[in-house]
Amino acid sequence: MKVDLDRYDVKILQYLQQDASISNQDLADRIGLTAAPCSRRVKHLIDTGVIERQVVRVNERKVGLNLIAMLHIIMDKHIPERFEAFEQAIAEIPEVMECYLITGHDADYQLKVAVSDMDSYHDILLGKITRITGVSGVKSSFIMRKVVDTTAVPLYY
């Protein structure tokens, strides 16, 4: 269900998407409110599910994850049980950073996988992903450079 946002809510979300560690007082100062109503608004955004969670983004390369792959997964059968089993299995693989059920492509799922090197990728691909029941094909692409990398949701539409 869509939540109606006023201009203060939008400003709060813009600042928090840039830096979720900002103090409530600094946030309030930037959007033109006092601390108490700003805090109530943030709590409301959390309670209504507009803000799902606050996380730390880690630079993959700084922690040795030098190979980021995009995988297109082809399933053998398009039945709910097969998709459910795949989704449960893929959620258990920590190297999978993102998983999307997609359409308009020759694949059924798109995954983003982060590993240290090609040997690790080989182990994940052949040791885990292709062993999931129903996976009939995998096409891999490797990210050479990030051109746009954001988690910020556009708020003006």
Side-chain angles (χ1 to χ4, degrees):
M1 178 182 347
K2 183 177 182 290
V3 175
D4 290 325
L5 305 175
D6 68 14
R7 65 184 176 100
Y8 290 111
D9 295 330
V10 170
K11 285 182 179 181
I12 287 169
L13 292 171
Q14 287 174 325
Y15 282 112
L16 289 177
Q17 286 187 111
Q18 291 172 15
D19 181 6
S21 69
I22 188 173
S23 73
N24 182 62
Q25 184 62 58
D26 286 344
L27 180 60
D29 291 344
R30 290 184 188 185
I31 67 169
L33 289 175
T34 59
C38 180
S39 178
R40 283 193 298 272
R41 283 175 173 272
V42 171
K43 182 177 180 343
H44 177 72
L45 292 168
I46 292 169
D47 291 346
T48 58
V50 172
I51 296 175
E52 292 183 338
R53 59 189 168 150
Q54 296 177 356
V55 299
V56 172
R57 293 201 56 195
V58 175
N59 181 312
E60 297 98 340
R61 292 189 188 276
K62 297 282 185 181
V63 295
L65 299 172
N66 297 308
L67 186 67
I68 309 297
M70 301 302 287
L71 284 69
H72 287 118
I73 307 294
I74 303 159
M75 301 297 289
D76 63 351
K77 295 179 184 174
H78 293 110
I79 55 174
E81 298 81 16
R82 193 67 104 201
F83 283 13
E84 288 170 20
F86 174 81
E87 291 171 14
Q88 287 174 356
I90 212 70
E92 298 292 321
I93 303 173
E95 293 83 0
V96 176
M97 295 178 64
E98 299 173 13
C99 176
Y100 302 99
L101 177 62
I102 61 173
T103 186
H105 203 278
D106 291 340
D108 299 300
Y109 287 94
Q110 179 173 304
L111 309 179
K112 179 179 177 184
V113 175
V115 291
S116 58
D117 54 31
M118 189 58 77
D119 289 336
S120 297
Y121 176 72
H122 180 265
D123 293 343
I124 295 299
L125 179 65
L126 297 182
K128 295 182 181 179
I129 294 172
T130 60
R131 294 184 184 270
I132 298 172
T133 302
V135 172
S136 63
V138 178
K139 295 180 182 178
S140 303
S141 301
F142 299 95
I143 295 177
M144 295 173 51
R145 176 172 37 118
K146 291 180 183 180
V147 177
V148 175
D149 182 29
T150 183
T151 61
V153 173
L155 298 170
Y156 293 104
Y157 41 88

